[in-house]
Amino acid sequence: MTVVLGFDTATAATAVAVVRSGSQTIELRHEPAAGERPGHATRLLGLVDEVLRAAAIELEAVDQIAVGVGPGSFTGLRIGIATARALAQGSGRPLSGVSSLLALAAGAAHDGPVMAVIDARRGEAFAALYERLTARVGPRAMRPEELAEHVSGAPGPLLAVGDGALRFRAELEAAGARVPAENDPSHGISARQICRLAAEGRAAVTGPAGGGGVTPDYQRRPDAEIARNR
Amino acid sequence: MILALETSCDDTCAAVVDATGAILANVISSQGIHDRYGGVVPEIASRHHLELINAVVDDALRRAGSTLADVRLVAVTRGPGLIGALLVGLQTAKGLAAARRLPLAPVDHLHGHVAANFLAPAAVEPPFVCLIASGGHTLLALVREPGGFELLGQTLDDAAGEAFDKGARLLGLPYPGGPALERLARDGDPEAFDFPRASRVSGLDFSFAGLKTALLYKLDDLGEAESRRLRTDLAASYQRAIVDALLARAERALGQSGIDRLALGGGVAANGELRARARGLGAVVAVPPAELCTDNAAMIGSAARFVSAQPYPDYLGLDAYASGDYGS
Ligand SMILES: [Zn+2]
């Protein structure tokens, strides 16, 4: 039996889950209310504690820790990954980094192509186009025109999910994508998908305890660096 | 044993200290990268902290000849500082402590600078007045007991180290300019030019923004060729103005408090003229070694000995803070 503790902080939500093969999954989330700051720093470890207690296991009983590596909010990713690495370093458990976009796509119940879209601010989205969970395009930062272009070029009816899909609903739908209703849970990154993908060996990186190899997939350089190299 | 982390600015730091204030390891990984930007870039600093922090922790433990199993308390800087940078250290500390069910001591960065004076082998006993001057902060603290400090005064605009860096840039020196300006000043006449000392700022507060502007105007007045010819005099006079401003308030604080001991801290405490002239104030002057004056985690571990630690799981929701409230 494999036990995976996983979480994601790439978007404003904080999602934490424990997945045990052959047993029920426990997932807890914090979604900030309108105008509220993300709860990454203040909620993540509390949710980890809660989820482990609900599963009646200690951190030492976890076989693997998994964390969403983005792309997404820079600060959110750092909070998630710093926490994951510290838990791994402190407990001696191995750590895996899973693409947050892949987790988003995995959570969408759709047989055809899925475009996972995370709002990247500044009129852009971090997006990737998946067919059976294999990335055909991206992940990378895209403008709405590029999103639309990839939707038009996709084989078969395409489903677009994520807070970025809601943000660019008009552009995506005009290009032929289906975007679920705003309150549909498929727009949120599920921590159980992070756990499941890690357990299935679909992690982008798996490091030893301490997880030094697990780093954010920023997909965008710091502004100062871009300005300097211009 | 206390494992301490500090990531409030651009140095990724971890240290191991014991309950007596002996330093078993004090690892400081300076990012360097910011020099080319002429200042610390928060996003770049945060990225580097995350790249370095776990290796820096491992390195500190290895140098201390210990493992996480020997750690009884985790200490970490909670603020003030760059939020994104602080959060990397804070989440790492919370995560390490949580994984091992250890208590956690959140430490104020400025209390950390004060507590650098409580480290062995040259611990200073309170009460004393502490002048902390760096690129990020400039303040006077009254230290009556090791668990805290009373803010007597602080800069209303630029920090003293910032004044050094900005002056150095105007004089064509590379960032960070403090040490370069001091070297240039050695060959100059500190009385050649009369730069402002913010004497109109009352009480024990500081102000350095006018000084930088005064240098800018002086360089304009002199023109390029004269400015170049008088570079050493300009540097010496500029440095003199900063040191005068710092020590005038320190002297006033000593007089008002009736305390005869002054401790220096912060990166500017490395300045030779400041050290030398502080000894002329007639007080007993304590200056920690240079690596304990600039940002480091040993000072955070030192402060942690005197603050109340939070047991697991009380600290899991702790957030960082960008600026402190010191009731002044
Ligand atoms: Zn400092």
Side-chain angles (χ1 to χ4, degrees):
Chain A
M1 196 180 77
T2 313
V3 183
V4 185
L5 164 69
F7 42 85
D8 189 276
T9 52
T11 62
T14 305
V16 183
V18 168
V19 170
R20 282 188 278 191
S21 53
S23 175
Q24 94 208 75
T25 292
I26 299 162
E27 172 154 6
L28 295 172
R29 301 179 71 82
H30 170 259
E31 298 270 3
E36 192 193 347
R37 286 203 307 145
H40 303 139
T42 54
R43 304 295 184 110
L44 176 55
L45 274 163
L47 291 175
V48 166
D49 188 56
E50 221 176 300
V51 96
L52 289 173
R53 270 189 286 147
I57 53 166
E58 303 269 310
L59 185 60
E60 290 68 30
V62 166
D63 296 294
Q64 192 179 10
I65 300 172
V67 63
V69 296
S73 150
F74 295 165
T75 301
L77 295 179
R78 278 190 290 267
I79 289 171
I81 292 169
T83 306
R85 284 199 199 165
L87 289 174
Q89 193 172 17
S91 65
R93 306 287 91 193
L95 174 66
S96 298
V98 175
S99 164
S100 300
L101 285 170
L102 181 62
L104 190 54
H110 186 61
D111 284 336
V114 176
M115 185 175 267
V117 194
I118 291 174
D119 189 357
R121 309 283 173 86
R122 305 179 183 180
E124 287 191 332
F126 295 123
L129 177 63
Y130 296 93
E131 280 178 70
R132 303 201 171 279
L133 298 190
T134 301
R136 298 298 180 198
V137 178
R140 64 167 179 265
M142 297 185 203
R143 285 171 286 112
E145 312 86 87
E146 291 173 87
L147 290 174
E149 208 172 288
H150 293 300
V151 170
S152 320
L158 179 142
L159 183 74
V161 290
D163 61 0
L166 294 173
R167 167 93 173 70
F168 298 111
R169 177 191 287 279
E171 290 87 343
L172 290 162
E173 285 180 344
R178 188 167 74 77
V179 180
E182 184 164 356
N183 57 1
D184 194 289
S186 64
H187 290 303
I189 298 169
S190 160
R192 80 184 61 198
Q193 299 299 343
I194 299 281
C195 295
R196 216 195 75 200
L197 291 164
E200 289 171 2
R202 285 175 172 277
V205 221
T206 296
V214 174
T215 54
D217 180 16
Y218 289 113
Q219 290 292 340
R220 201 186 256 164
R221 289 182 297 146
D223 290 341
E225 198 178 295
I226 295 169
R228 187 169 183 272
N229 295 343
R230 194 163 280 157
Chain B
M1 247 156 36
I2 303 170
L3 171 67
L5 274 60
E6 146 67 43
T7 61
S8 66
C9 192
D10 62 337
D11 294 318
T12 312
C13 315
V16 179
V17 305
D18 71 12
T20 69
I23 303 170
L24 305 179
N26 188 25
V27 177
I28 300 163
S29 180
S30 296
Q31 298 183 356
I33 180 115
H34 302 282
D35 296 3
R36 70 185 70 158
Y37 297 100
V40 176
V41 181
E43 175 62 22
I44 294 176
S46 304
R47 290 191 182 196
H48 280 266
H49 282 308
L50 184 60
E51 274 174 37
L52 298 167
I53 187 76
N54 303 89
V56 167
V57 166
D58 276 343
D59 195 18
L61 289 168
R62 195 167 39 242
R63 283 171 196 240
S66 54
T67 69
L68 279 174
D70 304 311
V71 174
R72 293 288 166 267
L73 173 67
V74 178
V76 65
T77 307
R78 209 182 145 198
L82 304 170
I83 282 290
L86 287 163
L87 283 170
V88 173
L90 182 61
Q91 288 304 123
T92 302
K94 289 196 296 183
L96 284 171
R100 309 196 65 84
R101 302 291 191 272
L102 292 169
L104 182 123
V107 172
D108 181 90
H109 180 81
L110 299 176
H111 184 212
H113 275 298
V114 167
N117 292 289
F118 306 138
L119 286 162
V124 183
E125 284 286 314
F128 57 86
V129 169
C130 191
L131 170 66
I132 299 163
S134 73
H137 14 266
T138 299
L139 65 138
L140 273 166
L142 176 57
V143 185
R144 292 195 189 278
E145 43 86 29
F149 65 89
E150 188 185 318
L151 184 69
L152 298 175
Q154 62 184 323
T155 183
L156 304 176
D157 40 58
D158 293 353
E162 213 175 343
F164 267 109
D165 290 341
K166 287 178 175 173
R169 192 186 310 170
L170 290 173
L171 292 170
L173 300 167
Y175 176 90
L181 193 145
E182 185 183 359
R183 277 194 297 278
L184 195 61
R186 261 177 226 153
D187 303 320
D189 173 7
E191 276 155 26
F193 299 96
D194 188 22
F195 288 118
R197 272 99 169 129
S199 34
R200 268 175 306 176
V201 173
S202 63
L204 297 170
D205 285 335
F206 304 86
S207 168
F208 293 102
L211 174 60
K212 168 197 65 188
T213 315
L215 176 60
L216 183 65
Y217 281 133
K218 185 55 74 183
L219 292 171
D220 262 5
D221 273 1
L222 292 171
E224 213 169 308
E226 273 298 278
S227 293
R228 192 178 309 276
R229 192 176 68 80
L230 298 169
R231 228 157 81 107
T232 54
D233 290 346
L234 287 162
S237 303
Y238 187 83
Q239 173 175 265
R240 171 63 56 92
I242 297 175
V243 170
D244 277 354
L246 289 172
L247 291 180
R249 271 76 169 182
E251 190 169 22
R252 209 175 294 160
L254 290 166
Q256 284 174 11
S257 62
I259 289 169
D260 63 353
R261 267 184 297 184
L262 175 69
L264 303 183
V268 176
N271 181 275
E273 171 153 347
L274 178 68
R275 285 174 179 239
R277 301 248 325 278
R279 295 189 202 286
L281 290 182
V284 178
V285 175
V287 190
E291 70 273 16
L292 298 178
C293 281
T294 49
D295 288 350
N296 66 89
M299 71 185 196
I300 302 303
S302 176
R305 297 180 297 143
F306 306 105
V307 303
S308 47
Q310 301 184 10
Y312 180 89
D314 295 4
Y315 52 80
L316 297 182
L318 274 183
D319 207 351
Y321 55 86
S323 47
D325 177 7
Y326 306 100
S328 162

